[in-house]
Structures are given as C-alpha cells and as structure tokens.
Amino acid sequence: MSDHPNPLYELGRRPPGLPPGGLVSRPVRRRLRRARMEPLLWLSDGPVDAPASAYPAPAGFQAVLLHDQAGPADWWETEALDPERSSDPDDHPVEPVLREFWSAVIPEPEEGEEAENEELIAPFGPAWPGLAAAGSPVRDPEAAAAELAAACMREGWFGRPRLALVPAGRGADVPAAIGWGGPLNHENDTARISAVLRSWEDRFGARVLALGFDRLDLYVAAPPRTLVEALPVAAEHFAFCPDNVRQGSGTVRAYAEEALIGRDHWSFWWD
C-alpha cells in the first residue's frame, strides 16, 4: 500500500497498455501547511493517435485528451492548471449556477440599444428561462464519443493531443479535478463548470472529449432535434460560454439553429 493518499502515485511512469508518460505536479496547500508539490495528472510524453477511450484507464481515473490547438504548446506545464482554483462540484446545484451565469452575461442596455439587446437573447428576456428538457440518446454514448473523437483527430481539430489520466469519478469532473483555467475570463471556480457538465451528462449524454488551453469539446448523445428544443439549450450555452454566441452566431436564436439542432459535437471557447 502506498504511503500517499493521492492515487496518482500508484501509476508510476507507464501504466499497463499506455504510451510512455509521467506525472504532472502542482503545488497544493493542505490547511495551514506550506504548499507542497503533488501530482495532478498523468500525461503521455508525446502525442497519441487514438481517442482517449481507446486506452485502458485504471479504476478511479478518467482518460481525456489535452491538446495544443489554438493555444500555447505545453500549456499544462504552466499555471493554466491550478487545483487551488476549484471547489467541489457537489456544492453547486446546476440551476443556481446557470441562473447566475445568465444574469452575469445579460447586458445592461444603454439608451438606444434596447432593441439590439432584445434581439441578442430572443425569444428570452432578462429572467433566467430555466433548464432545457432532457433529450433521448439515439446511440451508445461511449462508442459514439470515440467515433467523434477519432474524426476530430483525423481533421486536426485537436492538434497534437496528449493522453491524460485524471483522478475523477466521472468525465464531467475532470476540469474541476485539475483546476483547468480555460474559462477563467468567465468563471474562476472550475467546479461550477463541472457542475454544468454533470447536468449535461445526465440530460444529454454528454461526454468530455478533449481540453485545450481555452477550449472544451464534448460529444452529445441526445442533441436537440428541433428549434423548440434547441432554444433553451442555446440559452444554457450562452450562460455557460457567452463567447460562443457573441463572437459566433451573434444571437441565441441563430446559435440554436446553426450550432445545436442535430449536432452531436459541442465545442466551447473562452476569449
């Protein structure tokens, strides 16, 4: 038995069936003690050519891709990962989180701009519209997620991805477990991001495929099939990642039509 409570110490340099790799460590504070370096995740030494699900993750770990597309190379070696910035996803029910996000991103209209702001979030108003209804998966989420990840890799969407093993009970908890800094300009506590991902796992069969410096890619087994279904999902996306709408489709309605109906790939980036 290991003297260390951190399960990463058990992995060593190369867990069975995985490419060569090693531990990525960060300073972690334990109550009033001085911070000490502790492993945060296991990472392959070089790029891999298969989805994370193709590799055997030990019990208690989640396999995920970390990529360098549209971000600094080796960003995981910088302060982009900081476990001190994350609380516990269990402490954050999803609806209050999204309601607060929504309130924060709804602009205060200046004189003469009321119509423009109304168009941005139509058919919704300033009040939080509530959670979208759950969808019905049409395929096995795990197998379909692997197929989508493989297609993204062939298209170069993930650049030169590394394989990471993260001690987490479910894929949605990976960002919180490593203190991922991708959405820092929007939300500092990554546990609140994971709380939303947990809900999307449960309602839409979402699976975390990859993390970049400021990008998150998901497979979705039960995407909305009609505009009526897509609009409340688009409202959640706007609250979760306003840059997707503001610097993308331009309005919540256009985003629902262009990026959500029947789309099993949800990609988010924070400017």
Side-chain angles (χ1 to χ4, degrees):
M1 180 179 295
S2 170
D3 293 332
H4 303 283
N6 191 325
L8 281 158
Y9 284 109
E10 302 289 345
L11 292 185
R13 285 288 300 170
R14 188 172 185 177
L18 298 180
L23 302 180
V24 174
S25 297
R26 288 290 181 275
V28 176
R29 295 175 181 82
R30 299 298 183 193
R31 295 185 180 178
L32 300 179
R33 299 178 185 176
R34 180 179 299 179
R36 56 176 287 178
M37 297 298 291
E38 289 201 8
L40 192 59
L41 55 87
W42 180 94
L43 189 69
S44 64
D45 288 340
V48 294
D49 57 6
S53 59
Y55 299 92
F61 288 84
Q62 298 294 322
V64 66
L65 298 178
L66 302 187
H67 64 79
D68 58 0
Q69 191 76 336
D74 299 337
W75 54 266
W76 42 82
E77 299 289 356
T78 71
E79 295 180 357
L81 300 181
D82 181 2
E84 298 298 320
R85 68 166 53 104
S86 183
S87 59
D88 189 336
D90 287 341
D91 296 335
H92 303 286
V94 66
E95 184 133 29
V97 169
L98 282 172
R99 182 185 298 114
E100 185 176 330
F101 284 175
W102 176 264
S103 297
V105 300
I106 297 302
E108 289 290 339
E110 298 182 4
E111 186 175 355
E113 295 181 352
E114 291 84 355
E116 180 179 340
N117 283 283
E118 289 175 1
E119 182 182 5
L120 172 67
I121 59 174
F124 308 109
W128 163 240
L131 294 181
S136 299
V138 295
R139 299 188 59 191
D140 171 62
E142 307 303 332
E147 291 179 13
L148 175 61
C152 288
M153 295 177 76
R154 288 193 300 270
E155 295 168 3
W157 184 247
F158 297 150
R160 292 165 51 81
R162 305 274 197 98
L163 174 68
L165 298 179
V166 177
R170 56 194 291 183
D173 288 353
V174 165
I178 61 177
W180 178 59
L184 272 183
N185 290 339
H186 178 57
E187 172 56 49
N188 290 330
D189 185 353
T190 321
R192 286 155 59 86
I193 298 298
S194 285
V196 177
L197 296 181
R198 283 181 172 188
S199 182
W200 287 349
E201 273 189 359
D202 296 339
R203 286 183 290 143
F204 305 112
R207 298 292 185 270
V208 175
L209 299 180
L211 294 171
F213 175 70
D214 56 3
R215 206 178 82 202
L216 166 66
D217 286 273
L218 308 178
Y219 165 76
V220 184
R225 300 294 170 182
T226 67
L227 180 59
V228 170
E229 293 176 353
L231 282 168
V233 180
E236 292 190 26
H237 282 212
F238 181 53
F240 181 75
C241 181
D243 292 323
N244 267 29
V245 174
R246 292 187 186 280
Q247 301 188 45
S249 302
T251 68
V252 166
R253 182 183 294 275
Y255 180 80
E257 294 172 340
E258 298 168 5
L260 291 182
I261 298 175
R263 299 295 184 92
D264 63 2
H265 183 191
W266 291 356
S267 186
F268 303 92
W269 68 281
W270 290 263
D271 193 357

